[in-house]
Each structure stands twice: as C-alpha cells, then as structure tokens.
Amino acid sequence: MNSLEKKELKDMIYNYKSWLSLILGIISPTLLHLRKVEPFPYIYISVIIMCLCQYIYDSYLTDTKNKGNIFIYNTGVSSTKILFTKILVVLVFEIIMLLLNLPYTIKYINFVDYFWIFPLTATCVTFMYFTAMFSQSSETTSVILTFIVIFAYTFLLWNMDFIILKIGISLASAILMSFIAIKTADSLIYRQQL
C-alpha cells in the first residue's frame, strides 16, 4: 500500500462524518425497507453514492485545510494519481457496503448492473471533487449540486432498458468527469486554495 492510499484510509478512519456515512450506507436498505420506499434499488444506490461523496468532500477539505496536498504535490505526485487513489478507496468502501447488504444487493441488483454502477460512482465522486474545488470548499454548494446529479443520473440509468447503453454512458461520463476534475486540480483555481 502506497502513501497516498494510506493517507486516504487515514482520512476515512479519523473522520467521524465518514464513519456516519459508512454506517448510513450499510443500514440504508433496512431503513428504506421499513419505510416502504419505492423504487428501492434506485434510492439505495443513490444513498450509497451520496455517502461516498461525503467522504470525498471531507477528504478534499482535509487536503486543503491541513495542506496535505502541498506536501503530496511537492513529492512529484500527479493530480491524476491523487484522484484515482480517491476513486479506488471509494470503490473499496462501496464494495464493503454492498457486501454487508448482500441479501438486498442479490435481490435487487443484477451482477451485470455493477458494470454501470461502479462507473456511475466514479462519475459522482469526481463531480463532488470538482464542485468542492470549484466552489472553494463550500459544503452546501458542493452537496446540493452533487446530490441533484446523483439522483437524476441514477434515475436516468436505472430506468434505461439497454444494459450496453447504460455501461457506455456511465463509462464515458466517468472518463469525462475525471478529465475535468484533473484539469481543475491542475489549474490556478485549485492551486490558490492550497
């Protein structure tokens, strides 16, 4: 495990909001079932992604407020590696949430759906990362914009009939959003926040 992955795990472990988000992601199927919320899978996926986006925002805030990214950039690490490490850690935590809710995930989500759900998650977390940079750490702005995108995008993809189209759209948007977030991280907008 490299230093960036250790840093991201440390951000997750020492941040109470990340733990609350993780717990919410784990108990959300039970809560949604008890409240008889429909459509269950679409809301469930949206809640999990929102929880992971909260972690990304908190990680971003830690990077800027504690000047962690200045140290990382000074060691020659690229914005691309930083972003993809964050995405990797997020996907690991998403897999943990889904595994801890295995009865629900088996019942409501087909195996082939993961091929668009994981890129959808990457799209949404990079969008949160981008909005956090662009809004200059305004949590309200970042959260509202990201949550609207999560619900709209998840609803759109969930209700599409063609799985190949779902996978293609989610992969293309993940690549595009990653490119935008990396370019923003390399721009003066972000560097001035450091």
Side-chain angles (χ1 to χ4, degrees):
M1 185 179 296
N2 67 35
S3 59
L4 270 178
E5 290 163 351
K6 287 177 186 173
K7 177 204 150 308
E8 291 302 323
L9 287 174
K10 186 179 173 189
D11 285 352
M12 174 62 110
I13 291 168
Y14 291 108
N15 189 323
Y16 77 93
K17 281 189 195 175
S18 297
W19 281 104
L20 291 175
S21 296
L22 192 63
I23 291 167
L24 179 62
I26 292 168
I27 66 170
S28 63
T30 306
L31 295 176
L32 292 169
H33 241 8
L34 291 175
R35 302 281 303 169
K36 297 186 176 3
V37 175
E38 293 294 336
F40 175 78
Y42 150 66
I43 304 273
Y44 171 51
I45 293 167
S46 297
V47 168
I48 283 181
I49 295 173
M50 284 189 295
C51 292
L52 295 167
C53 283
Q54 180 62 48
Y55 156 72
I56 284 294
Y57 178 81
D58 292 335
S59 174
Y60 168 80
L61 207 58
T62 302
D63 292 347
T64 53
K65 288 202 170 175
N66 296 340
K67 307 297 182 193
N69 266 3
I70 292 176
F71 172 76
I72 291 169
Y73 283 127
N74 285 338
T75 60
V77 177
S78 68
S79 301
T80 305
K81 189 166 184 182
I82 292 169
L83 180 64
F84 285 119
T85 301
K86 288 180 186 300
I87 291 171
L88 177 68
V89 170
V90 161
L91 291 176
V92 167
F93 281 106
E94 183 174 31
I95 291 168
I96 290 168
M97 286 182 197
L98 292 168
L99 287 175
L100 290 173
N101 289 310
L102 202 56
Y104 296 106
T105 54
I106 288 173
K107 184 176 180 182
Y108 292 104
I109 303 171
N110 295 323
F111 176 75
V112 73
D113 286 328
Y114 294 109
F115 290 102
W116 66 265
I117 290 172
F118 292 141
L120 169 69
T121 302
T123 301
C124 293
V125 298
T126 52
F127 184 79
M128 172 60 98
Y129 192 65
F130 165 74
T131 55
M133 284 186 279
F134 197 73
S135 67
Q136 298 185 345
S137 304
S138 169
E139 185 168 12
T140 305
T141 305
S142 300
V143 167
I144 289 171
L145 288 173
T146 304
F147 287 6
I148 289 169
V149 167
I150 289 169
F151 273 110
Y153 204 28
T154 308
F155 178 78
L156 172 76
L157 290 176
W158 185 261
N159 289 300
M160 278 185 180
D161 290 330
F162 301 109
I163 192 68
I164 300 297
L165 188 59
K166 286 183 187 184
I167 294 169
I169 290 172
S170 62
L171 278 172
S173 63
I175 292 166
L176 178 64
M177 201 61 239
S178 297
F179 177 77
I180 292 168
I182 290 164
K183 287 298 179 189
T184 306
D186 289 336
S187 72
L188 285 175
I189 294 171
Y190 178 57
R191 298 304 168 107
Q192 286 171 351
Q193 295 176 52
L194 300 176

